[in-house]
Amino acid sequence: MSRDLGAVMTVTAQPMGRRILLGGVAMIVLMGAAGAAAAQVAAPAAAPQADTVGELVVTAPNYVPTTTTGSKVATSILDTPQSVTVINRDQIDVLHWTSLQQVVRYTAGVTGENFGPDARYDWLTLRGFAPVQYIDGLQAPIGSVTNVGTDLYGFQSVEILKGPSSGLYGSTPPGGIVNMTSRRPQQEASGELVAEVGNYDLKQIQGDATGPLNDSVSYRVTGLYRDSGSIIDFEKDRRGFLSSALKWDIDPATSVTLLGYYQNDDLKNNSGGFLPPSGTVLPNPNGTISRSLNLGEPGYNMFKRDQYGVGYEFRHAFNDSLSFEQNLKYFSSDTKTLSVYGAGLQTPGGSIVNRYNFPFNEKVTSFNVDNRVQANFTTGDFKQTLLVGLDYRRYVDTSEFGFAVAPPIDVFNPVYGAPVTVPTLYPYANLVQTQTGLYVQDQVRRDGFILTLGARQDWVRTDDKAGGTTANDSQMSYRIGANYVFANGVAPYVSYAKSFQPTTGVAFNGTTFAPTQGEQWEAGIKVEPSGLPQGVKTLVTLAAYNLVQRNVLTPDPDPTHPFASVQTGEVQVKGVELEGVARIHERLSLNASYSYTDSEVTKSNGPDLGMQLPMVPHHKLSGFADYTFQDGLLAGFGVGLGARYMSSSYGDAANLWQADSVILWDAVAHYNFKAWKMTLSGSNIFDKTYVAACESASNCFYGTPRSVTLSLGRSF
């Protein structure tokens, strides 16, 4: 997948022993650290338990997640026959993560920051595919990119559903989805105000406040403003974000929550990446290209986006067994872009780079409503949770583009100021898509055994007005999973699931394309140990999967059909994922993960046959430990250190361009004193220079450089 539509217009597995070794190391480190710490605090000479600490300063009671709403029913993670990661606000605050790309650093199966620093979007890869972003359980207003770059500060949790999820959510990629849940009003008054400064001239202020208006109405207001530079010369980033929520508890059985957010992004002179391999991943006789090089045209390049979402969540319980929920939201995202970017060296090993001029404007709107009824009942020895739902989405995507050649520039001695004008704009996309889905899910329980059965029928109509085609697709998706939760907190599971995604365009004979199909077998084990000392929480998950996507577009083999495609392609992704999180007596926090991902294009008429998918490293190993003193002279002071390893990966489908493996280090130091908190955090603290991806002879991207942030906040 290309990072920029303008770039679209231009152009070995490791030994098994190392896989096992890396996975074993991750598991041993995680379980050994957690077990040793738990044993220590349980011993007579250990530090007092969390509820008896004399001077408890810092708490994160939800650091280790226990439930997920990924099944549209609040369910224990142990009871869910699917690999799912939940990163809540406690983890985000303790580790001082500020973006969705940072959140996934210590999560198995997903990579972020695939194109280095980018203030516009959150570039993720999940089990080999770009996940679609959801907000509050409804698909966000995605367009040419599968996410919308909403600011992490406005959300209380991130859920990553791994593998096919069409059985509940309809049209989704086979790798999974990412759902961000907005902050919710609370009846207990609280809030914070935080100021931040950092390298690259970062200045940011943010605040959050919640509390009751009366006995039945509560509110929440969250806001942020950022003004920052970048490692890229001349680049400036300004963002404003505001969200509000109002909850009315009409009666003990009925509530409605109004939710809304607005975000404005204004980037000037932005043009990171699009560098040639010569001087980045390959030697150049003139030297190494600077990470700060701007191949755009200062004063011309810009990115502006206004996005918002407004809606509500309604809940009513008819009795203890039967309830109804409705989730409705209208989204809008309006983006305007002027972009001059690199188009490759004029001569191999030279210094002069050609440039293209690509303006692109896109407007996406989406109306979503999800209605569902939940019934809890008992049939003989079986307890059942039955969910029946009907949802509807109307999605409109209109865009326009222009294309021209821009003046070349010397990458080692750039001189700006050559005249650049906006070329004529032409329609690019004019798409209207409606999706109606009827779904049912039944969780059947007996003792520790849980059987989850789900099916969904979708009717999707896609009017491609730019291409003059209409496609009507009818798709059935389903999921079946079984798990057994033992009394000691060990839960093995197995599942099978399917997914689909509509495909726009037509074959050479004018026939519209069918949706791509995904299917996955997954087996694993989840461990949330019981019997641990009070104040010790741990969750470890291990999953193995085999994922196949069919009906993939590939070049038409008929030489008389140039530029046409057929749907005979196939992709397979197999992997193992190990992940753990622990919180011990509100002192020690642990996050660790290991992923082995083996991707291959198994059927194709193009040069990608037998190759691995772009941006999918075979190995990812990461771990972070944070310790906070809760009493004594250092009470309130904490430090954390983390490391991330990613093996080499290819940036292009033909596997011609490879980025090397890399190890990066992160750190955080924080001090809490009464209502005040100061945090110093750093990413890539040793400022490792590396190339995150190379897509072609003109599209190489440096990885995210060192980032240091100092924040001072006060809670109230």
Side-chain angles (χ1 to χ4, degrees):
M1 182 190 70
S2 176
R3 179 174 178 261
D4 192 296
L5 288 175
V8 172
M9 299 182 63
T10 64
V11 271
T12 313
Q14 299 285 345
M16 179 61 72
R18 185 177 179 187
R19 305 174 200 167
I20 297 173
L21 175 62
L22 288 173
V25 168
M27 177 178 285
I28 291 169
V29 169
L30 172 68
M31 299 303 293
Q40 181 183 6
V41 295
Q49 296 181 357
D51 58 346
T52 61
V53 172
E55 187 181 351
L56 188 63
V57 179
V58 182
T59 61
N62 300 313
Y63 193 93
V64 179
T66 57
T67 61
T68 173
T69 58
S71 295
K72 297 192 177 183
V73 175
T75 305
S76 166
I77 291 178
L78 294 187
D79 296 350
T80 305
Q82 179 181 5
S83 187
V84 55
T85 297
V86 180
I87 303 106
N88 52 42
R89 177 49 57 177
D90 278 358
Q91 285 192 44
I92 294 169
D93 287 345
V94 169
L95 302 182
H96 205 242
W97 289 325
T98 59
S99 72
L100 185 58
Q101 298 199 92
Q102 292 182 359
V103 159
V104 304
R105 287 175 173 174
Y106 299 91
T107 298
V110 55
T111 61
E113 301 170 298
N114 295 331
F115 298 100
D118 192 333
R120 305 171 304 164
Y121 297 106
D122 297 301
W123 301 99
L124 307 179
T125 301
L126 174 57
R127 290 190 175 176
F129 302 89
V132 170
Q133 182 183 349
Y134 280 65
I135 295 177
D136 298 324
L138 301 172
Q139 192 174 118
I142 60 172
S144 54
V145 178
T146 59
N147 69 85
V148 291
T150 43
D151 201 278
L152 181 65
Y153 187 70
F155 298 89
Q156 65 184 30
S157 68
V158 176
E159 283 185 300
I160 303 172
L161 278 65
K162 304 172 186 178
S165 301
S166 293
L168 283 175
Y169 292 93
S171 170
T172 57
I177 66 173
V178 175
N179 179 54
M180 303 176 70
T181 301
S182 303
R183 296 186 188 234
R184 295 296 198 273
Q186 305 294 319
Q187 272 291 331
E188 181 178 349
S190 65
E192 67 175 10
L193 185 63
V194 181
E196 293 188 352
V197 294
N199 59 339
Y200 306 119
D201 201 27
L202 168 68
K203 299 176 287 293
Q204 180 168 303
I205 187 167
Q206 58 197 34
D208 175 59
T210 185
L213 294 178
N214 56 41
D215 291 340
S216 61
V217 179
S218 53
Y219 74 94
R220 189 150 203 162
V221 178
T222 305
L224 171 147
Y225 179 76
R226 178 174 70 230
D227 187 331
S228 178
S230 164
I231 191 174
I232 305 300
D233 293 336
F234 313 112
E235 186 170 289
K236 295 292 292 182
D237 164 31
R238 292 186 176 89
R239 168 174 291 179
F241 176 87
L242 179 65
S243 68
S244 61
L246 190 71
K247 183 180 180 182
W248 178 22
D249 293 310
I250 301 172
D251 58 46
T254 310
S255 68
V256 61
T257 303
L258 305 179
L259 296 165
Y261 75 90
Y262 170 77
Q263 180 171 308
N264 171 263
D265 291 286
D266 185 4
L267 279 71
K268 297 184 184 303
N269 308 323
N270 58 298
S271 186
F274 296 99
L275 305 170
S278 178
T280 53
V281 294
L282 299 176
N284 186 305
N286 298 286
T288 300
I289 297 175
S290 171
R291 288 186 296 174
S292 65
L293 175 66
N294 189 326
L295 283 183
E297 190 61 39
Y300 176 83
N301 282 40
M302 67 87 176
F303 174 89
K304 293 184 178 181
R305 177 177 58 205
D306 286 286
Q307 60 169 298
Y308 66 88
V310 58
Y312 65 82
E313 293 180 354
F314 174 81
R315 301 181 179 182
H316 175 72
F318 298 98
N319 50 48
D320 292 340
S321 303
L322 186 65
S323 61
F324 170 77
E325 297 184 13
Q326 184 181 74
N327 190 7
L328 180 149
K329 198 181 283 331
Y330 178 82
F331 293 103
S332 175
S333 178
D334 191 355
T335 304
K336 299 185 183 303
T337 304
L338 293 177
S339 180
V340 167
Y341 62 95
L345 289 170
Q346 289 185 348
T347 59
S351 64
I352 305 301
V353 163
N354 293 317
R355 295 191 297 175
Y356 290 142
N357 181 1
F358 180 71
F360 183 74
N361 301 326
E362 185 171 37
K363 176 68 178 291
V364 177
T365 61
S366 179
F367 172 79
N368 307 53
V369 60
D370 185 11
N371 309 278
R372 51 190 181 268
V373 176
Q374 179 179 331
N376 303 309
F377 56 93
T378 301
T379 304
D381 295 332
F382 297 94
K383 296 181 179 179
Q384 293 180 249
T385 300
L386 180 65
L387 180 72
V388 179
L390 176 68
D391 67 16
Y392 172 82
R393 179 171 66 96
R394 186 177 189 272
Y395 165 87
V396 180
D397 180 2
T398 57
S399 60
E400 58 182 3
F401 79 101
F403 187 75
V405 174
I409 198 169
D410 190 327
V411 294
F412 297 102
N413 184 28
V415 177
Y416 305 99
V420 176
T421 58
V422 180
T424 303
L425 300 182
Y426 301 94
Y428 182 80
N430 189 353
L431 196 70
V432 179
Q433 186 178 85
T434 59
Q435 173 181 284
T436 302
L438 177 64
Y439 59 90
V440 59
Q441 176 181 271
D442 195 8
Q443 293 176 330
V444 184
R445 305 167 183 260
R446 182 176 180 180
D447 299 325
F449 176 75
I450 305 170
L451 178 65
T452 301
L453 303 170
R456 174 177 169 126
Q457 175 64 48
D458 276 287
W459 297 270
V460 182
R461 177 186 173 94
T462 304
D463 291 311
D464 183 358
K465 298 182 179 180
T469 62
T470 297
N472 289 285
D473 299 309
S474 177
Q475 291 289 319
M476 172 69 76
S477 307
Y478 52 87
R479 179 182 71 165
I480 179 171
N483 52 330
Y484 194 94
V485 182
F486 291 93
N488 60 359
V490 177
Y493 72 93
V494 62
S495 66
Y496 174 79
K498 299 191 69 175
S499 68
F500 80 95
Q501 274 188 299
T503 305
T504 58
V506 295
F508 183 80
N509 61 4
T511 304
T512 57
F513 290 124
T516 60
Q517 303 280 350
E519 64 174 352
Q520 174 187 273
W521 283 97
E522 178 176 307
I525 186 169
K526 304 180 182 184
V527 182
E528 188 180 350
S530 61
L532 292 177
Q534 185 179 356
V536 178
K537 297 180 180 180
T538 301
L539 176 66
V540 179
T541 62
L542 174 66
Y545 65 90
N546 187 355
L547 173 62
V548 177
Q549 184 189 36
R550 298 185 176 89
N551 285 356
V552 179
L553 293 183
T554 187
D556 191 325
D558 191 330
T560 64
H561 300 166
F563 310 113
S565 298
V566 294
Q567 284 191 284
T568 59
E570 181 181 276
V571 173
Q572 183 178 41
V573 184
K574 298 179 289 185
V576 176
E577 298 167 355
L578 174 65
E579 185 174 292
V581 58
R583 178 79 170 172
I584 301 170
H585 292 324
E586 299 293 357
R587 287 172 166 79
L588 179 63
S589 302
L590 298 170
N591 293 73
S593 73
Y594 168 71
S595 308
Y596 169 72
T597 310
D598 182 14
S599 64
E600 182 183 358
V601 177
T602 52
K603 294 181 181 179
S604 174
N605 299 323
D608 58 343
L609 179 63
M611 304 302 173
Q612 69 184 60
L613 295 176
M615 318 295 177
V616 184
H618 280 298
H619 301 284
K620 176 191 173 187
L621 176 63
S622 61
F624 198 103
D626 181 271
Y627 187 86
T628 301
F629 296 91
Q630 298 286 33
D631 47 23
L633 294 177
L634 294 178
F637 175 73
V639 293
L641 181 66
R644 298 173 275 138
Y645 165 79
M646 283 192 296
S647 62
S648 60
S649 63
Y650 293 99
D652 65 309
N655 290 183
L656 299 176
W657 304 99
Q658 187 177 38
D660 292 336
S661 61
V662 64
I663 298 177
L664 304 172
W665 293 83
D666 307 318
V668 63
H670 43 87
Y671 179 65
N672 291 62
F673 179 72
K674 296 183 179 179
W676 294 90
K677 180 179 181 180
M678 179 178 290
T679 302
L680 177 65
S681 64
S683 299
N684 187 9
I685 57 176
F686 298 114
D687 202 21
K688 173 72 174 180
T689 298
Y690 67 102
V691 173
C694 258
E695 291 184 309
S696 70
S698 60
N699 294 358
C700 290
F701 302 87
Y702 279 118
T704 304
R706 176 168 54 207
S707 173
V708 179
T709 303
L710 176 65
S711 69
L712 177 63
R714 189 182 192 284
S715 59
F716 52 87

